[in-house]
Structures are given as structure tokens and as C-alpha cells.
């Protein structure tokens, strides 16, 4: 496996390519972007087929940590996430509670060529944007780490952090390389094959009045990011980077 990182003048993005050559068998793959958002963040994504939690909570022993979501569950929107106590919460705004560790996975729509994840951190002054080849990284795993692990090395200090992880992982849902929605959950390696995993991420200042990214459209030389208000910004971006090959 080789990793290539590129920066382009004037582009607010880091372009990453991981190339797998040869090998045999299946391996899970994931990028692991982490955001520290003490002021809170509003999350939005390219269209998903579903969302779910795993069969068991990340933390099951109260003396060691705390998880608050219901496990397992399937949901149609992050805005209708079910807690273990039965309450329905809007998980698209994070943090939504204190002292908890929770993980959810979102699966891309099967027809999506490009997937995106956006996080508007108004109080902290930035918008995070990640873009990927949705056919190779068809999942977005959200690790909600907000002081819910009391043991080392976290010691309850890892707060207001969210992992936005573009992935192909089994999430303990199946052992056949696909989840319940026939979404790829691993990269298949084979002799004499080459697979390139491309992922771009970046950040830019929050425009005044923005609250939630509602759409991201990629062209050959830019990306158009639109807020729920209808206001939009054009950012320089190499759209050819995400093409297969």
C-alpha cells in the first residue's frame, strides 16, 4: 500500500490517495477525520440509504464508561435517533448530551457516485467538508466521543470530539463482506490488481448566516457548497480527482 498526499495552490483541501497493489483476501478500510467542536456542530451528508447502530453499545460497564443510544437500531434520518431510554433526539447536532461514547454508521445511496460529509461549526468558525468515491467508501461512521470513557488514555477528558470516518467496514453487522443493504464492507485484495482509494477533505470559514450545508455539487474545477438558506459558495476543487482509475 502506498499513500500520496497532494496540496494544490489556492485549494482549501488535502487530496489523499491510497493505492493497494496485489495481496489477497478482504480488509476493512476507513479514513479517520476527527473534529474538536466545543461550540457544537451541525452535521449533514450526501443522501443515505439508512443509518444504524451496532449490536452492542461501545461502553457497557458504568464504572468504565457510558453510551446513551439504543443498540441495535435502524433509522432513516440522523435527526430521529433513538436513545436507550426511548427518547428521540436530533443526532445531526452534536454534542447532544454529556459524558457519552456512541457510534453510528450511515450507508450511502447505492446510486451515489460521490459521497460528502459536512460539519458547520458556527461558534468555532469553520465548515469541514469531506468528499469521496462512494462506490469504494460507501459508509460514513460517526464516532461521538464526549467524555464517556473514564479509563486511560481518555480519562473523561476527550470531549466534544466527533470522528467523521469515510469507510468500508463490517461494523460487526455481517461476515460476508456486505451489510444488510448489500453495501461494500471491505476492500477485496487480489494478485495483479490495483485499487486506488481517493478522499479529499478541507475546511473554510463559516459564511455569515449559515447553519447547515444542504447540498454539495462537484464539477471539474470547483465544488459548489449550498447552505440551507440557499446561499452558496464556490470553492476551487479538482473534481477529476474523484474519478475512478
Amino acid at each position: 500500500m502506498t499513500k500520496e498526499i497532494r496540496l494544490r495552490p489556492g485549494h482549501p483541501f488535502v487530496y489523499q490517495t491510497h493505492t493497494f497493489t496485489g495481496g489477497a483476501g478482504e480488509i476493512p478500510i476507513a479514513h479517520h477525520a476527527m473534529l474538536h467542536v466545543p461550540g457544537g456542530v451541525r452535521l449533514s451528508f450526501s443522501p443515505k440509504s439508512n443509518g444504524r447502530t451496532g449490536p452492542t453499545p461501545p461502553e457497557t460497564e458504568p464504572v468504565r464508561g457510558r453510551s446513551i443510544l439504543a443498540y441495535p437500531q435502524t433509522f432513516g434520518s440522523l435527526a430521529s435517533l433513538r436513545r436507550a431510554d426511548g427518547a428521540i433526539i436530533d443526532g445531526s447536532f452534536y454534542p447532544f448530551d454529556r459524558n457519552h461514547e456512541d457510534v453510528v454508521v450511515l450507508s450511502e445511496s447505492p446510486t451515489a457516485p460521490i459521497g460528502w460529509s459536512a460539519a458547520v461549526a458556527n461558534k468555532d468558525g469553520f465548515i469541514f467538508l469531506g468528499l469521496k468515491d462512494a462506490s469504494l467508501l460507501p459508509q460514513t461512521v460517526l464516532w461521538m466521543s464526549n467524555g464517556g470513557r473514564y479509563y486511560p488514555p481518555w480519562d473523561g477528558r476527550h470531549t466534544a470530539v466527533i470522528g467523521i470516518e469515510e469507510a468500508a467496514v463490517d461494523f460487526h453487522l455481517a461476515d460476508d463482506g456486505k451489510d444488510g443493504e448489500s453495501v461494500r464492507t471491505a476492500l477485496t485484495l487480489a494478485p495483479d490488481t490495483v485499487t486506488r482509494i481517493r478522499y479529499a477533505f478541507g475546511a473554510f470559514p463559516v459564511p455569515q448566516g449559515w447553519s447547515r450545508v444542504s447540498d454539495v455539487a462537484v464539477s471539474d474545477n470547483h465544488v459548489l457548497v449550498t447552505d440551507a438558506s440557499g446561499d452558496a459558495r464556490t470553492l476551487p476543487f479538482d473534481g477529476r480527482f474523484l474519478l475512478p482509475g
Side-chain angles (χ1 to χ4, degrees):
M1 188 273 287
T2 60
K3 177 174 182 174
E4 179 184 38
I5 299 174
R6 288 190 178 184
L7 303 177
R8 300 183 184 275
H11 290 212
F13 294 97
V14 177
Y15 298 91
Q16 289 191 113
T17 303
H18 289 78
T19 302
F20 293 83
T21 304
E26 294 185 332
I27 59 170
I29 54 175
H31 291 276
H32 205 281
M34 305 294 291
L35 306 181
H36 184 220
V37 287
V41 67
R42 178 65 73 178
L43 305 168
S44 54
F45 307 92
S46 48
K48 307 298 184 185
S49 61
N50 69 70
R52 60 185 70 185
T53 60
T56 58
E59 298 299 331
T60 57
E61 301 178 33
V63 70
R64 289 176 54 81
R66 175 177 181 251
S67 297
I68 63 172
L69 296 181
Y71 294 82
Q73 67 172 297
T74 301
F75 51 90
S77 169
L78 198 59
S80 56
L81 203 53
R82 182 163 48 88
R83 294 173 54 121
D85 61 11
I88 302 297
I89 59 172
D90 181 359
S92 69
F93 186 80
Y94 175 81
F96 46 77
D97 205 321
R98 301 177 63 186
N99 301 329
H100 70 100
E101 298 284 324
D102 285 284
V103 178
V104 304
V105 61
L106 311 174
S107 294
E108 295 288 341
S109 171
T111 59
I114 293 175
W116 57 267
S117 297
V120 178
N122 256 305
K123 291 185 179 180
D124 297 307
F126 70 88
I127 296 178
F128 169 86
L129 182 62
L131 300 111
K132 65 181 180 179
D133 179 341
S135 66
L136 291 174
L137 298 170
Q139 299 165 326
T140 301
V141 178
L142 302 179
W143 174 28
M144 302 169 177
S145 182
N146 193 28
R149 283 181 171 155
Y150 312 144
Y151 49 90
W154 294 276
D155 295 321
R157 301 171 300 174
H158 200 246
T159 61
V161 175
I162 184 162
I164 303 178
E165 305 167 19
E166 308 302 346
V169 293
D170 66 8
F171 202 64
H172 306 290
L173 297 174
D175 58 7
D176 58 359
K178 294 184 177 181
D179 73 5
E181 296 291 322
S182 296
V183 171
R184 179 196 298 266
T185 59
L187 174 65
T188 300
L189 303 177
D192 302 320
T193 63
V194 176
T195 304
R196 292 180 175 87
I197 310 296
R198 295 187 173 97
Y199 170 62
F201 68 96
F204 59 99
V206 181
Q208 185 174 2
W210 279 40
S211 60
R212 180 182 63 85
V213 171
S214 61
D215 189 54
V216 174
V218 178
S219 73
D220 283 350
N221 56 17
H222 70 267
V223 59
L224 181 67
V225 185
T226 304
D227 179 64
S229 66
D231 191 21
R233 293 291 185 275
T234 299
L235 305 173
F237 182 76
D238 182 5
R240 295 166 297 179
F241 171 76
L242 294 174
L243 293 178

